[in-house]
Amino acid sequence: MTQAPVRTDTDILATAREQVLDRGVGLDEQQTLEVLRLGDERLEELLELAHEVRMRWCGPEVEVEGIISLKTGGCPEDCHFCSQSGLFQSPVRAAWLDIPSLVEAAKQTAKTGATEFCIVAAVRGPDERLMAQVAAGVEAIRNEVDIQVACSLGMLTQEQVDQLAAMGVHRYNHNLETSRSHFPNVVTTHSWEERWDTLRMVREAGMEVCCGGILGMGETLEQRAEFAANLAELEPDEVPLNFLNPRPGTPFGDLEVLPAADALRAVAAFRLALPRTMLRFAGGREITLGDLGAKKGILGGINAVIVGNYLTTLGRPAEADLDLLGELKMPIKALNETI
């Protein structure tokens, strides 16, 4: 009878179990990189540990959110993944949504059990017209729908941050998109630091900070670990994890879709780096993971989902996600527990 080989190195999952699961201390950048380098034969073990961490430090509830674009397309920035840039030959064209349509979308989102409705605009930052539209939209939604309102309007000035806080905006989304070192390969019309400054002002104004990014944009594993460490330093309330869905006409339109195993490994790694953070499934999960992958992700560290469609791409039907949560016995977070 042969004996199993004795490990001479410290096993990263054993370290994570003691450090993250038992003590609630997230993995640092180098430790996260070790997790991202684990082979496929350890993926199930990794996902199980990430799920244990999520249940221990976040609980079983899943927050459900819907999003809608108030202003679509025509953005002056050159984010290489985005079909809403006015600089690329993509099929998305500029359009505005009226307030009654915005309210109706909020009502339909609330019917799914969602507690959060996010108003998004494809802009570098809001001008006076957009701020006025947002103010009118937020007021109309609050008058008719029992749901919390979040916004994602690009980079803000201090005055705009203060205005949104005064409107009662609950959470502000502004993604760093990728690691600091990889950012210049993704965006050239503004800097990573400009995004960071907006997030700092949002936190200081008392709004919740929602900040994540997109995986599969040509970053290395080292840069993926760096991005997790960047987010851990920021300490956002929520991290939406998107996976690149290559859009025709964009500079990243010909990139390969991230392999499902790599995507799931990243989900688990980000959970271990951010044990107490809301980790949300966002865009690209359908093309990257499919139905089975979505289930594995929710059992591998995810505790929030965007339901329905995204800004320019189709998502899963809201009913499919809600049925999946029911099957997994994951309760949807109630609105009265979030206020």
Side-chain angles (χ1 to χ4, degrees):
M1 181 175 175
T2 60
Q3 289 186 329
V6 176
R7 289 182 183 271
T8 56
D9 59 326
T10 302
D11 178 55
I12 185 58
L13 294 189
T15 299
R17 179 168 292 278
E18 187 278 328
Q19 178 180 320
V20 188
L21 181 61
D22 294 347
R23 295 192 283 122
V25 177
L27 298 185
D28 64 22
E29 184 174 338
Q30 184 57 41
Q31 291 171 321
T32 302
L33 179 58
E34 289 184 57
V35 169
L36 290 169
R37 287 174 170 166
L38 287 172
D40 287 355
E41 74 281 359
R42 303 203 68 191
L43 181 56
E44 291 296 332
E45 182 186 357
L46 169 62
L47 292 171
E48 288 173 9
L49 176 57
H51 181 61
E52 287 185 70
V53 168
R54 169 263 173 113
M55 295 294 283
R56 170 77 184 274
W57 298 106
C58 298
E61 291 184 325
V62 176
E63 189 189 89
V64 176
E65 178 184 45
I67 61 175
I68 195 164
S69 185
L70 178 61
K71 177 192 174 293
T72 303
C75 181
E77 305 304 290
D78 74 344
C79 306
H80 292 10
F81 54 84
C82 186
S83 59
Q84 299 200 64
S85 172
L87 305 178
F88 309 143
Q89 296 300 313
S90 58
V92 176
R93 291 294 170 257
W96 285 77
L97 192 68
D98 61 31
I99 300 303
S101 299
L102 196 65
V103 173
E104 181 58 30
K107 288 180 179 177
Q108 294 304 315
T109 297
K111 285 181 181 178
T112 69
T115 58
E116 193 90 15
F117 180 70
C118 188
I119 301 170
V120 183
V123 290
R124 175 185 174 89
D127 57 16
E128 287 187 19
R129 177 192 177 190
L130 179 54
M131 288 296 289
Q133 283 282 93
V134 169
V138 170
E139 182 179 14
I141 291 169
R142 289 169 71 90
N143 286 340
E144 296 193 42
V145 190
D146 187 17
I147 199 166
Q148 305 216 62
V149 180
C151 286
S152 180
L153 312 172
M155 291 174 286
L156 302 174
T157 65
Q158 184 63 61
E159 181 182 4
Q160 291 167 337
V161 169
D162 295 341
Q163 288 172 341
L164 291 172
M167 289 176 204
V169 171
H170 165 66
R171 183 183 295 157
Y172 193 78
N173 164 257
H174 192 48
N175 289 338
L176 288 170
E177 302 301 6
T178 189
S179 68
R180 189 172 193 162
S181 67
H182 189 51
F183 190 87
N185 301 315
V186 178
V187 183
T188 69
T189 47
H190 61 266
S191 69
W192 193 90
E193 288 76 13
E194 287 176 277
R195 290 184 176 233
W196 185 276
D197 288 344
T198 287
L199 294 161
R200 176 185 51 77
M201 289 188 289
V202 165
R203 160 155 298 126
E204 290 173 356
M207 284 182 281
E208 287 192 2
V209 172
C210 171
C211 178
I214 305 173
L215 303 180
M217 297 195 293
E219 74 277 2
T220 63
L221 289 184
E222 288 81 2
Q223 287 169 326
R224 213 167 281 169
E226 178 195 347
F227 183 36
N230 294 150
L231 291 169
E233 181 183 352
L234 179 66
E235 296 183 329
D237 299 278
E238 174 189 342
V239 170
L241 276 183
N242 300 269
F243 306 98
L244 183 69
N245 183 347
R247 307 314 301 153
T250 67
F252 286 169
D254 294 327
L255 288 183
E256 297 281 335
V257 172
L258 192 67
D262 289 351
L264 289 170
R265 209 168 359 252
V267 166
F270 274 64
R271 169 52 68 204
L272 296 180
L274 300 155
R276 293 175 171 81
T277 302
M278 190 182 300
L279 201 58
R280 187 181 296 278
F281 255 159
R285 63 187 165 104
E286 296 78 16
I287 188 172
T288 304
L289 295 170
D291 290 349
L292 177 61
K295 182 175 182 178
K296 282 181 173 289
I298 292 171
L299 292 176
I302 291 292
N303 65 331
V305 294
I306 292 176
V307 294
N309 296 329
Y310 304 108
L311 301 176
T312 61
T313 57
L314 297 176
R316 282 158 52 93
E319 295 76 17
D321 279 327
L322 298 177
D323 288 347
L324 176 59
L325 295 178
E327 176 191 337
L328 298 177
K329 295 181 172 56
M330 298 289 179
I332 295 174
K333 190 173 184 179
L335 181 63
N336 60 8
E337 293 174 8
T338 66
I339 295 177

